[in-house]
Amino acid sequence: MAKKPATTEPSPQPAKSTDSVPFCQALANHLTYSVGKDHYTATPRDWFFALAHTTRDQMTARWMETMRRYYEADAKRIYYMSMEFLIGRTLTNSLMNMGHYDECLKMAAEAGLDLEQARAMEPDAALGNGGLGRLAACFLDSMATLGLPSYGYGIRYEYGMFNQRIENGWQVEHPDSWLRYGNPWEFPRPEVLYPVKFYGRLVEYTSEAGSLRHHWVDTEDVMAMAYDTPIPGYGGKSVNNMRLWAAKSSRDFDLKYFNEGNYIKAVEDKNESENLSKVLYPDDTTAMGRELRLKQQYFFVSASLQDMLYRFNKFHKNFDELPDKVAMQLNDTHPSIAIPELMRILLDLNHLDWDRAWDIVTRTFSYTNHTLMPEALETWPVSLLEKTLPRHLQIIYEINHLFLNDVRHQNPGDTELLKRISIIDEDNGRRIRMAHLAIVGSHQVNGVAQIHTELMRQTIFADFDRFYPGKIINITNGITPRRWLNQANPGLAGLITEHIGDGWITHLDQLSKLNKFATDKAFQGKFLRVKQANKESLAKVIEEKLGIKINPASLFDVQIKRMHEYKRQLLNLFHVVTLYNRIRANPGENRVPRTVIFSGKAAPGYARAKLIIKLINDVADIVNHDPVIGDQLKVVYIPNYDVTTAAEIIPAADLSEQISTAGTEASGTGNMKLALNGALTIGTLDGANIEIRDEVGTDNIFIFGLNTAEVAEITSKGYNPWDYYHGNQELRQVLDMIGSGYFSPDEPERFRPVIDSLTAGGDQYLLLADYTDYIACQEKIDALYRNPAEWARKAILNVAGMGKFSSDRTIREYAENIWGVKSVLRPEV
Ligand code: 26W
């Protein structure tokens, strides 16, 4: 690692304020005293740990100061409750946000330390599945940057999102043991420990004053232990906290068996209760009613609420003040058991009456919906709740009873409405509809893009929108420009800063100052050279990782996201096969060479998505080895898509594929990341694509396909995919080739089910209906790519138009329209 010995020797001086110790000296100290190595024996991982500890030190004093500042201001706090935080790597982010990055680079160069190698040792913290988890991570960055008194609350999974390997073209999952070497960013808090109850039974009794009370007894308890991770805002002025809970067996639990002399049983049970925070559910496709997942949800909700109320009670005695001091945001329905839990705490433990408690609860909670897909909407069997959380079930029944009374009062005689709107689904074996519970228990509900919110109001939550006018609002998603431009793409970030200054890093709207450079030949040239350099870097990574040589001059066509039928990676692949056929039919024709890049994971139980991965790889195998095709077309599947991989691919993309069936993608945030990095979008009128179009201008985005109204019309009229199959010769050829084994000669029937689902199976996501328009749109893109100046002009206008999509803007809207919180900034020093 050390190319030449480090210039500084560890120094035995007493501790000084970390800000005054030169970075270099602090690093040498950590290598010696925290890692126990010297620069002769240190491995890249040792250097990573020394760097991380040094960086963490820089954050810690500011973190403590921030926490004191919030206390002193008695500020209203935001608790962002999320089952997922997809953080990725932290080292560069923390160095940059704390303003020590340049110093660190300089020091590394002087000391002969290979920073890249050390950086690569950090595991990607993948405590999330995809969009929802990454959004939570961007929000933490923005809340800290804005100086908002906020906390992220979640679960410290021992195993995050699985590692994906591609073996013989198939996805194979491997456990992600990200904590194996220890996590240098976190502070374990063994003293912050709360019991969480499960199972047991209820005892009713009457208080002295004659009111009915409930005891929840004979429970099985698990302990939740806190781990804190500092979250630095940009500029280092505020450092917030992310508190994640790990399950520990409760001492009482062990003792019972120890006292019986059953040592083995005691240890076995210890393991079992610690399973609660073992693993992230890697599925965002279907809400499978698994007991362990419900227990994970209640586990982190119960611990978080105890912690929040402990903090609240230190300075406030009256629960009526809670909604003025605390805002609790539910990131999807996953933490929505918090609603009956807070009711239980207020009713059973603090003896508030129902109306007062309910008023406090509904003024405290708000809920964000992230999907319209019916199969992803959570419901829990009543029987499971009855066993696991019996008191919560009772409270949910009471909430529902009172809610339905109100609905009935306003809509006399409408029993169908009552059935539809009820929190209990009586038709599917009695289940709790968690979204209904979250809406009834929140003062505000939001969707994540205009069209998504509109569809919530018109379709799945139409009854609620009528009953609670104004409760459902829109807050369009955003991404943090720190990670997704400043860190991921130093070339472009530097070019932008050179021309408009660096204010865009915290005020992304300032990117509009780039508009005037869109036609500037010199700027276009520089812009294209940055993109070219990024493409060459990615080409190198691909060659190293996969042994595939790609042409850096080709158009980099990128689709990176979870593998889902609704996201239509297959439609993209149909374009690939169409190009393949055209090249083979006419090999001499002058074409725009393309490299089509896919990356993304499929849920382990989602067989169809995994088969599509295999299909992409089988097509890649044939296309990439066909001598007739040569350099004109390459297909690459980059394995193990994660935050780190995203940051490698995005700066190199020319074209961003956002091609979900209209009405299915709630927002998308990858679309924003790619456009911010100067890719042009080919997309449907879905999710945030629509708002991207509004910002960058219709001429600077490639929109194709059916819109939501047309989708609704075509499906209601009785969509017949065969009409499209027979109506387009090229489409038919593509489907026939795949279906009959052209790409799978070793097993010709392998992909028959994929094709059948699009023809006889009805083509749920309307790939065939959108194919012709998609291909025509891709032809326009090829034509534009032949004109680099015009391409550059449009790409620059895309970057210039992305100001709206900063998560800072998103968070400001939450703060103003939902939370009613204000920044608590450090006085300028
Ligand atoms: C219970 C199983 C489960 C788990 C996760 C169901 C659904 C989910 C998430 C809601 C899936 C998700 O990540 N949704 C994505 O959220 C992003 C952030 O708002 C949006 O940009 C994406 O469009 C949406 O698919």
Side-chain angles (χ1 to χ4, degrees):
M1 167 76 174
K3 288 176 192 150
K4 57 180 178 179
T7 50
T8 41
E9 287 296 323
S11 129
Q13 288 170 13
K16 297 180 196 167
S17 143
T18 48
D19 276 358
S20 60
V21 180
F23 194 89
C24 191
Q25 186 187 331
L27 180 65
N29 285 351
H30 269 302
L31 188 65
T32 308
Y33 302 118
S34 307
V35 183
K37 290 283 188 85
D38 61 22
H39 53 263
Y40 296 110
T41 53
T43 63
R45 182 167 292 109
D46 295 328
W47 281 110
F48 161 67
F49 275 96
L51 281 162
H53 281 293
T54 311
T55 311
R56 193 181 77 166
D57 287 352
Q58 314 278 343
M59 294 191 276
T60 307
R62 195 52 56 79
W63 187 27
M64 304 292 98
E65 186 274 320
T66 307
M67 296 298 123
R68 284 196 299 274
R69 199 195 315 151
Y70 296 159
Y71 267 114
E72 279 157 20
D74 188 20
K76 179 166 183 181
R77 290 159 204 268
I78 308 147
Y79 294 119
Y80 198 82
M81 304 173 74
S82 179
M83 286 276 275
E84 305 192 6
F85 288 96
L86 220 181
I87 301 286
R89 286 184 181 154
T90 289
L91 181 62
T92 308
N93 184 262
S94 295
L95 280 168
M96 284 196 168
N97 278 13
M98 295 307 295
H100 290 291
Y101 187 69
D102 292 340
E103 192 185 343
C104 182
L105 280 186
K106 204 169 132 239
M107 184 272 319
E110 282 166 13
L113 202 168
D114 188 336
L115 206 54
E116 264 316 303
Q117 236 187 12
R119 239 193 286 207
M121 287 298 119
E122 180 171 4
D124 188 288
L127 308 185
N129 270 284
L132 163 138
R134 183 54 232 175
L135 186 77
C138 284
F139 282 4
L140 293 184
D141 182 87
S142 284
M143 292 190 288
T145 299
L146 295 173
L148 291 171
S150 58
Y151 297 69
Y153 272 107
I155 299 174
R156 180 180 176 274
Y157 300 106
E158 209 173 307
Y159 293 88
M161 188 64 196
F162 65 82
N163 283 314
Q164 177 198 57
R165 291 196 206 141
I166 302 295
E167 292 175 13
N168 190 27
W170 296 97
Q171 165 174 301
V172 179
E173 302 92 27
H174 294 264
D176 162 44
S177 153
W178 72 295
L179 296 168
R180 185 173 40 219
Y181 299 102
N183 174 2
W185 304 110
E186 68 187 9
F187 289 85
R189 306 289 194 202
E191 77 286 5
V192 183
L193 204 59
Y194 297 103
V196 178
K197 297 171 187 288
F198 293 98
Y199 310 112
R201 62 190 175 87
L202 301 175
V203 177
E204 289 188 354
Y205 66 104
T206 310
S207 72
E208 279 176 19
S211 44
L212 187 63
R213 296 263 166 84
H214 296 84
H215 271 320
W216 182 16
V217 298
D218 295 343
T219 53
E220 290 178 24
D221 296 3
V222 178
M223 302 304 291
M225 177 184 144
Y227 285 77
D228 288 345
T229 304
I231 306 288
Y234 186 78
K237 292 198 179 108
S238 298
V239 178
N240 284 347
N241 195 11
M242 174 174 74
R243 178 161 278 186
L244 303 181
W245 301 103
K248 307 273 163 191
S249 66
S250 85
R251 202 183 289 260
D252 293 350
F253 209 60
D254 302 348
L255 274 179
K256 193 172 93 203
Y257 292 107
F258 274 119
N259 293 343
E260 289 166 13
N262 196 344
Y263 169 75
I264 296 294
K265 177 72 181 152
V267 177
E268 263 176 21
D269 277 15
K270 190 176 167 74
N271 280 333
E272 206 183 289
S273 50
E274 292 180 358
N275 276 344
L276 265 185
S277 55
K278 190 69 73 189
V279 59
L280 167 79
Y281 274 89
D283 196 343
D284 60 2
T285 310
T286 43
M288 342 144 272
R290 291 281 168 82
E291 179 168 348
L292 183 67
R293 184 166 162 103
L294 175 67
K295 287 179 73 177
Q296 286 186 334
Q297 296 183 345
Y298 181 64
F299 165 74
F300 103 90
V301 158
S302 164
S304 304
L305 278 176
Q306 291 180 65
D307 199 43
M308 295 169 198
L309 294 180
Y310 168 79
R311 196 172 292 120
F312 173 81
N313 283 324
K314 271 204 279 193
F315 289 107
H316 310 91
K317 287 284 158 269
N318 188 343
F319 279 109
D320 298 314
E321 278 180 67
L322 191 73
D324 302 322
K325 291 294 165 193
V326 168
M328 300 184 192
Q329 186 68 34
L330 303 172
N331 197 21
D332 217 285
T333 54
H334 315 158
S336 56
I337 195 74
I339 290 168
E341 172 65 0
L342 184 55
M343 283 302 284
R344 184 184 74 84
I345 294 170
L346 297 177
L347 297 170
D348 297 358
L349 308 183
N350 293 279
H351 308 313
L352 271 64
D353 66 46
W354 181 279
D355 291 347
R356 202 173 141 210
W358 184 242
D359 178 64
I360 292 168
V361 165
T362 50
R363 288 197 295 130
T364 301
F365 283 106
S366 45
Y367 149 62
T368 306
N369 171 279
H370 295 268
T371 182
L372 302 165
M373 312 278 287
E375 62 271 33
L377 292 175
E378 286 190 302
T379 61
W380 291 109
V382 165
S383 54
L384 179 59
L385 249 83
E386 196 161 28
K387 176 177 83 160
T388 319
L389 299 169
R391 178 63 179 138
H392 297 76
L393 180 63
Q394 265 191 352
I395 291 172
I396 292 170
Y397 278 149
E398 184 63 12
I399 293 171
N400 196 41
H401 171 73
L402 296 170
F403 168 62
L404 291 182
N405 276 350
D406 289 349
V407 176
R408 200 177 292 114
H409 190 74
Q410 270 192 30
N411 304 271
D414 195 344
T415 49
E416 280 309 304
L417 170 65
L418 292 179
K419 271 179 77 170
R420 287 197 307 269
I421 209 167
S422 171
I423 295 171
I424 318 291
D425 176 359
E426 306 280 355
D427 290 339
N428 297 290
R430 302 206 76 213
R431 303 178 74 94
I432 312 289
R433 296 162 165 154
M434 298 309 272
H436 292 208
L437 175 63
I439 297 173
V440 174
S442 296
H443 59 100
Q444 217 79 79
V445 174
N446 78 287
V448 291
Q450 278 162 16
I451 187 183
H452 169 231
T453 304
E454 214 33 61
L455 291 169
M456 280 165 70
R457 291 188 186 125
Q458 286 166 14
T459 63
I460 53 171
F461 302 141
D463 292 323
F464 287 100
D465 191 46
R466 276 187 292 269
F467 186 72
Y468 297 122
K471 193 186 260 202
I472 303 177
I473 64 170
N474 176 247
I475 300 192
T476 299
N477 280 168
I479 56 172
T480 169
R482 270 75 65 184
R483 184 176 290 261
W484 294 111
L485 180 52
N486 202 34
Q487 285 157 45
N489 195 346
L492 182 58
L495 178 67
I496 294 170
T497 297
E498 213 176 280
H499 287 78
I500 64 169
D502 66 0
W504 60 270
I505 299 174
T506 48
H507 297 87
L508 201 64
D509 285 333
Q510 292 184 17
L511 288 181
S512 65
K513 295 183 195 165
L514 292 173
N515 277 315
K516 66 169 183 286
F517 295 106
T519 51
D520 178 326
K521 291 290 160 215
F523 188 87
Q524 288 179 350
K526 288 185 200 166
F527 184 89
L528 290 175
R529 276 194 291 281
V530 166
K531 182 61 82 182
Q532 198 50 42
N534 292 338
K535 290 169 70 174
E536 277 158 24
S537 305
L538 180 61
K540 238 165 77 197
V541 172
I542 289 174
E543 193 172 353
E544 279 164 20
K545 274 196 194 167
L546 307 173
I548 304 174
K549 240 188 157 53
I550 59 174
N551 173 9
S554 63
L555 187 165
F556 282 18
D557 175 348
V558 167
Q559 189 171 22
I560 47 177
K561 47 184 83 248
R562 285 296 289 253
M563 296 297 300
H564 267 298
E565 287 162 284
Y566 84 81
K567 293 177 190 281
R568 302 200 294 191
Q569 281 93 353
L570 255 185
L571 182 59
N572 185 348
L573 196 71
F574 291 170
H575 173 241
V576 169
V577 176
T578 306
L579 286 181
Y580 171 79
N581 290 337
R582 286 181 182 180
I583 296 167
R584 284 183 44 105
N586 221 332
E589 200 177 309
N590 180 12
R591 295 171 186 283
V592 172
R594 278 208 191 215
T595 301
V596 184
I597 296 170
F598 294 88
S599 196
K601 293 174 184 175
Y606 190 174
R608 176 57 48 81
K610 291 170 92 167
L611 187 57
I612 292 171
I613 293 177
K614 173 64 172 162
L615 173 57
I616 295 171
N617 283 305
D618 280 358
V619 169
D621 209 35
I622 302 271
V623 169
N624 296 348
H625 293 106
D626 189 327
V628 179
I629 301 298
D631 239 12
Q632 298 187 71
L633 180 63
K634 285 275 177 286
V635 182
V636 182
Y637 200 100
I638 299 180
N640 203 37
Y641 185 59
D642 58 10
V643 175
T644 305
T645 318
E648 283 169 357
I649 301 173
I650 289 168
D654 292 310
L655 185 63
S656 158
E657 299 270 354
Q658 308 300 336
I659 59 176
S660 50
T661 315
T664 60
E665 188 69 272
S667 162
T669 45
N671 47 3
M672 301 169 188
K673 293 163 199 168
L674 283 152
L676 181 63
N677 282 275
L680 298 185
T681 302
I682 180 166
T684 46
L685 287 175
D686 200 19
N689 296 350
I690 297 174
E691 289 158 76
I692 293 176
R693 177 201 61 181
D694 294 346
E695 296 297 306
V696 305
T698 316
D699 292 344
N700 303 311
I701 187 168
F702 292 90
I703 298 292
F704 74 94
L706 301 168
N707 63 26
T708 41
E710 290 161 344
V711 165
E713 194 190 310
I714 204 170
T715 36
S716 71
K717 276 191 182 155
Y719 168 58
N720 185 0
W722 289 112
D723 294 345
Y724 296 87
Y725 175 89
H726 292 297
N728 186 319
Q729 190 272 325
E730 279 191 296
L731 171 62
R732 191 173 31 182
Q733 189 187 356
V734 168
L735 294 171
D736 290 348
M737 283 166 80
I738 296 172
S740 64
Y742 183 97
F743 298 102
S744 52
D746 56 323
E747 190 192 342
E749 290 297 300
R750 179 179 299 143
F751 302 114
R752 173 63 57 198
V754 176
I755 300 306
D756 283 350
S757 79
L758 300 179
T759 49
D763 185 16
Q764 189 186 358
Y765 297 108
L766 307 176
L767 280 76
L768 273 49
D770 274 346
Y771 170 86
T772 306
D773 201 19
Y774 179 59
I775 299 295
C777 198
Q778 292 282 17
E779 287 168 8
K780 286 192 227 150
I781 287 162
D782 279 341
L784 179 69
Y785 197 74
R786 291 174 189 276
N787 183 346
E790 196 43 21
W791 184 281
R793 187 180 70 81
K794 287 184 194 290
I796 295 165
L797 290 175
N798 268 263
V799 178
M802 292 306 291
K804 167 172 171 182
F805 302 102
S806 167
S807 47
D808 299 344
R809 187 271 311 150
T810 310
I811 285 299
R812 280 198 190 94
E813 291 183 15
Y814 277 94
E816 279 168 30
N817 302 335
I818 298 185
W819 301 330
V821 293
K822 295 219 156 35
S823 296
V824 180
L825 293 168
R826 189 165 173 247
E828 289 302 329
V829 278

